Amino acid sequence: VRVGRGALDLLVDDLAARPPGRLLAVVSDSRVGPIHAEPLFRRLRRRGLPALLLTFPAGERHKTRATKSRLEDELLAVGAGRDTAIVAVGGGVTGDLAGFLAATWHRGIPVVQVPTSLLAMVDAALGGKTAVNLPGGKNLVGAFHQPWGLYADPAVLGTLPAREWLGGLSEVVKTAAIADERLFEWLEAFASALRGREPAAVDRAVTACLRIKASIVRLDPLEQGRRAILNFGHTVAHALETVTRYRIPHGRAVALGMAVEVRLAMESTGFPAEHALRLHQLLETLQGPLRWPAGADAAEVARTARRDKKTREGRARYALPVRLGKMAPGSDVTVTLSDSRLMRAIRSLSSGQVPASRV
Amino acid sequence: VRVGRGALDLLVDDLAARPPGRLLAVVSDSRVGPIHAEPLFRRLRRRGLPALLLTFPAGERHKTRATKSRLEDELLAVGAGRDTAIVAVGGGVTGDLAGFLAATWHRGIPVVQVPTSLLAMVDAALGGKTAVNLPGGKNLVGAFHQPWGLYADPAVLGTLPAREWLGGLSEVVKTAAIADERLFEWLEAFASALRGREPAAVDRAVTACLRIKASIVRLDPLEQGRRAILNFGHTVAHALETVTRYRIPHGRAVALGMAVEVRLAMESTGFPAEHALRLHQLLETLQGPLRWPAGADAAEVARTARRDKKTREGRARYALPVRLGKMAPGSDVTVTLSDSRLMRAIRSLSSGQVPASRV
């Protein structure tokens, strides 16, 4: 893992010094491709490395089995064998899709993750989770496939659209909320610096989040237990994205998901009301008002949440902190809750209530 | 791994005693389903286990991404979550397809392999290789996914069509040819008993092959080196199947593949001519004359072989023994050969020549 300004230069040097494959297939989407993947592709070619550029249409709606098949057909057409390596340049969608492509091409070839969105940099690109979506749910088909390397250069974040930047801050907040109360306090203090993408604040947030995620993933690479704490907010977020057919960006869905799930935490893990209020306020400071989308029916979201990968015995499961920066100890960190409790929490948020503070 | 008559009873007991999933999805094809999967499915239901039966059209031509997608859609429709287990009942196609389905459903759920063909029993079901075919090549998309359990009951082989029975004997011969000269001698002595499916001979062959394969796979589960010896005959076999669009059964293709590749071995590894003749004769005793299919152009087979997963640096690779029962030592057990050498070997076989004996 290489983090910091200049990581992309290191990437080119590393690929030239010890290439992970005889052919480097750079995979990117139609939005990031022209900005970051094409320049990288040209640099690799100038260094004499056999490289190839594959792109697919941008957007979570294209993270599908059909897109993966099309990329496979393109690899086959150029004769890409087991001695190929994938270089995934893009946000979470590209990392998931290109990672899954690498996981199954000839039963597994190396993938180099080059995240270009804040969300991918602090969360998605590390940890080996890869997947595509099904019409009925997110990330339902995929594999664990640890990257050969991860190169996170915050300099690329300058080109990120504002909406994606703010969405990515959701995963930063989540990381602090589950693992590091001091980081959470720092986020509260530096919220406007982060909104404004001040380099020093951005670098610190990215480095802190990557360090936390790496320590969690190292202990439980296959998510057999404790790693599930990273899913705080995500049971609701994934269901919301599915129900709205990915019209809501992932980062926004995670913010709404945490706002709902922290209400569940207040009821079921004793999460302090004043902490819930702080979380709610930090999310609104960073992202603007947390408005539940009008078309997302609470009952339908609850039904969809039951199809989530975390489902056990037909009931949705949630990874809920016990207070800011702290999850329950042990390896069984998720709780089962009924549809009606989830629907109540969604209705509380969508009616505009904030968590009551006891302070 | 449970081998022997009665293994299917043990399977039902084991699934009842410690179920690998809350829902057992029995996957089979349209030919084996009615004979073996449906009775098993009914037994599981009678034992009170939540089970489900999914079938797909029989045949290598259906081992595709499209068939896998359809099975995924069916799993989604019944709400199958991460706490599902797949029970693969069938031949090599079913084991590969259902195994790959399990490898990627919710990033990996358990699979129980229940091989019902000789080929699957002695080779395909053990070792964790799963895959689907692409139009341009066999097994190009897949994963390593070790089974939760393997239940091999030779009693089910009684219902196997004659052509498949004889084809399966190819993998038995291959196993002996790469690893056990005494087993090869035993096969020569008991060839007619095996052709006639005499139970004692069948049981001995299945047990011996599974033991050899298990010992090879255990040392190199991800085929990073020595496990590649299992691919003897398979570079040519896969290319031949691709070129003929799977009209030639896999076992038959492996017999023809070994007949070609042993000619390459004579030239490149010093494989003794008299051993090549014995291999050729044993294959013909078991399978009838080794006629190269008229429509399979040698140049096209050579081109296709270069797209095989074993390809390195654009040239086809072959796993060739140095004599009967013996491969070269070490972990780099494959050799690179030019298209023209392969085409010469194919033409030698298709012109009806047998390897010249020096005896």
Side-chain angles (χ1 to χ4, degrees):
Chain A
V1 177
R2 306 275 205 164
V3 200
R5 294 177 193 251
L8 286 191
D9 303 323
L10 285 172
L11 165 65
V12 176
D13 290 344
D14 286 355
L15 291 178
R18 41 170 195 135
R22 202 179 58 90
L23 174 68
L24 301 173
V26 179
V27 176
S28 193
D29 71 24
S30 54
R31 204 184 58 69
V32 172
I35 309 172
H36 297 298
E38 277 176 31
L40 174 65
F41 167 71
R42 282 197 298 268
R43 283 178 75 180
L44 296 175
R45 295 286 283 239
R46 274 202 302 274
R47 289 286 280 265
L49 294 165
L52 164 87
L53 180 61
L54 303 176
T55 56
F56 63 92
E60 183 84 37
R61 272 171 312 120
H62 296 286
K63 202 178 94 179
T64 59
R65 296 172 294 192
T67 305
K68 177 170 180 273
S69 290
R70 210 155 47 234
L71 294 170
E72 287 163 354
D73 293 344
E74 290 179 30
L75 286 177
L76 186 68
V78 298
R82 199 187 274 176
D83 50 359
T84 305
I86 303 285
V87 183
V89 180
V93 168
T94 300
D96 281 6
L97 179 64
F100 190 31
L101 178 71
T104 64
W105 184 251
H106 290 221
R107 298 201 185 95
I109 59 173
V111 63
V112 185
Q113 292 285 358
V114 186
T116 61
S117 74
L118 178 61
L119 188 147
M121 214 171 268
V122 301
D123 190 53
L126 186 71
K129 280 192 178 185
T130 73
V132 295
N133 304 325
L134 297 195
K138 230 191 134 168
N139 294 337
L140 292 186
V141 176
F144 284 96
H145 191 55
Q146 298 299 335
W148 177 89
L150 185 156
Y151 295 78
D153 189 338
V156 304
L157 298 174
T159 59
L160 207 63
R163 199 177 71 161
E164 275 200 55
W165 173 259
L166 299 179
L169 291 174
S170 291
E171 297 286 1
V172 176
V173 172
K174 179 205 76 178
T175 305
I178 62 169
D180 191 339
E181 190 179 3
R182 284 187 50 209
L183 178 61
F184 194 92
E185 287 162 6
W186 180 83
L187 294 174
E188 291 176 314
F190 286 80
S192 72
L194 283 169
R195 274 185 69 100
R197 305 192 206 188
E198 287 179 20
V202 171
D203 290 8
R204 174 160 178 187
V206 167
T207 307
C209 288
L210 271 174
R211 190 169 300 140
I212 290 169
K213 177 138 188 194
S215 70
I216 293 169
V217 167
R218 200 177 306 121
L219 294 175
D220 179 17
L222 301 181
E223 194 172 312
Q224 289 162 330
R226 190 144 185 90
R227 177 171 173 174
I229 66 177
L230 291 163
N231 292 318
F232 172 48
H234 282 62
T235 302
V236 170
H238 286 172
L240 183 57
E241 289 178 87
T242 302
V243 164
T244 59
R245 297 175 188 278
Y246 307 109
R247 276 191 301 270
I248 297 184
H250 181 64
R252 182 84 192 155
V254 170
L256 290 163
M258 284 191 286
V260 170
E261 291 189 16
V262 79
R263 287 165 160 81
L264 298 174
M266 285 169 64
E267 284 186 19
S268 62
T269 69
F271 194 92
E274 63 267 36
H275 283 197
L277 188 62
R278 280 171 63 195
L279 175 63
H280 193 97
Q281 285 171 340
L282 177 59
L283 289 169
E284 294 209 321
T285 304
L286 292 171
Q287 310 230 352
L290 290 168
R291 287 203 199 89
W292 187 259
D297 178 61
E300 197 186 346
V301 170
R303 253 197 319 277
T304 307
R306 265 192 274 121
R307 283 205 301 262
D308 189 86
K309 285 191 300 312
K310 289 179 284 301
T311 297
R312 292 286 182 283
E313 285 152 30
R315 294 174 97 195
R317 289 189 81 92
Y318 303 88
L320 303 175
V322 297
R323 49 176 284 128
L324 278 177
K326 208 168 165 46
M327 303 292 291
S331 67
D332 192 8
V333 293
T334 57
V335 296
T336 305
L337 293 172
S338 68
D339 285 13
S340 59
R341 289 179 78 168
L342 173 59
M343 287 159 64
R344 202 159 61 229
I346 291 174
R347 290 196 184 110
S348 155
L349 176 67
S350 56
S351 67
Q353 289 174 32
V354 293
S357 170
R358 290 197 208 95
V359 180
Chain B
V1 178
R2 305 276 205 165
V3 200
R5 298 185 187 248
L8 286 190
D9 302 323
L10 284 172
L11 165 64
V12 175
D13 290 344
D14 286 355
L15 291 178
R18 40 169 197 137
R22 204 179 57 89
L23 174 67
L24 301 173
V26 179
V27 176
S28 194
D29 70 24
S30 54
R31 206 184 57 71
V32 172
I35 309 172
H36 297 300
E38 277 177 31
L40 174 65
F41 167 71
R42 283 196 298 270
R43 284 178 74 179
L44 296 174
R45 296 286 284 238
R46 274 202 302 275
R47 290 286 281 265
L49 293 164
L52 165 84
L53 180 60
L54 303 177
T55 57
F56 63 93
E60 184 84 38
R61 272 172 312 124
H62 296 286
K63 202 178 94 177
T64 58
R65 296 173 293 193
T67 305
K68 176 170 181 272
S69 290
R70 210 155 49 234
L71 293 170
E72 287 163 353
D73 293 344
E74 289 179 31
L75 286 177
L76 185 68
V78 298
R82 199 186 276 178
D83 51 358
T84 304
I86 303 285
V87 183
V89 180
V93 169
T94 301
D96 281 6
L97 179 64
F100 190 32
L101 178 71
T104 64
W105 184 249
H106 290 220
R107 298 200 186 94
I109 59 173
V111 62
V112 185
Q113 293 284 1
V114 186
T116 62
S117 74
L118 179 59
L119 189 147
M121 214 171 268
V122 301
D123 190 54
L126 187 70
K129 280 193 178 182
T130 73
V132 296
N133 304 326
L134 298 194
K138 228 188 136 171
N139 295 337
L140 294 186
V141 177
F144 284 96
H145 191 56
Q146 297 299 335
W148 178 87
L150 184 157
Y151 294 78
D153 190 338
V156 305
L157 299 174
T159 60
L160 207 62
R163 199 178 69 160
E164 275 201 54
W165 174 258
L166 299 179
L169 291 174
S170 292
E171 298 285 2
V172 175
V173 172
K174 179 204 75 178
T175 305
I178 61 169
D180 191 340
E181 191 180 1
R182 285 186 52 207
L183 178 61
F184 194 91
E185 288 163 5
W186 179 83
L187 294 175
E188 292 178 312
F190 285 81
S192 73
L194 284 169
R195 274 185 71 99
R197 306 193 206 189
E198 286 180 21
V202 171
D203 290 9
R204 176 160 174 188
V206 167
T207 307
C209 289
L210 271 173
R211 191 170 298 138
I212 290 169
K213 175 136 190 195
S215 70
I216 293 169
V217 167
R218 199 180 304 119
L219 295 175
D220 180 18
L222 301 182
E223 193 171 311
Q224 289 162 330
R226 191 145 184 88
R227 178 171 172 174
I229 67 177
L230 291 163
N231 292 318
F232 173 46
H234 282 63
T235 302
V236 171
H238 287 173
L240 183 58
E241 289 178 87
T242 302
V243 165
T244 60
R245 296 176 190 275
Y246 307 110
R247 276 191 303 268
I248 297 184
H250 180 65
R252 181 81 191 158
V254 170
L256 290 162
M258 285 191 287
V260 170
E261 292 189 15
V262 81
R263 287 165 161 80
L264 298 175
M266 284 168 63
E267 285 186 20
S268 61
T269 69
F271 195 92
E274 62 268 37
H275 282 198
L277 187 63
R278 281 171 63 194
L279 176 62
H280 193 96
Q281 285 172 338
L282 177 58
L283 289 169
E284 293 211 322
T285 305
L286 292 171
Q287 308 230 352
L290 290 169
R291 288 204 196 88
W292 187 260
D297 178 61
E300 196 185 344
V301 169
R303 253 197 319 278
T304 308
R306 266 191 274 122
R307 284 204 301 264
D308 190 86
K309 286 191 302 309
K310 288 179 283 305
T311 297
R312 292 287 183 284
E313 284 151 33
R315 294 175 96 196
R317 288 188 83 91
Y318 303 87
L320 303 176
V322 294
R323 50 176 283 128
L324 279 177
K326 204 160 168 55
M327 304 292 292
S331 66
D332 192 7
V333 293
T334 58
V335 295
T336 305
L337 293 173
S338 67
D339 285 13
S340 60
R341 290 178 78 166
L342 173 59
M343 285 158 65
R344 203 162 58 229
I346 291 174
R347 290 194 184 113
S348 155
L349 177 68
S350 57
S351 67
Q353 290 172 30
V354 293
S357 170
R358 293 198 207 94
V359 180

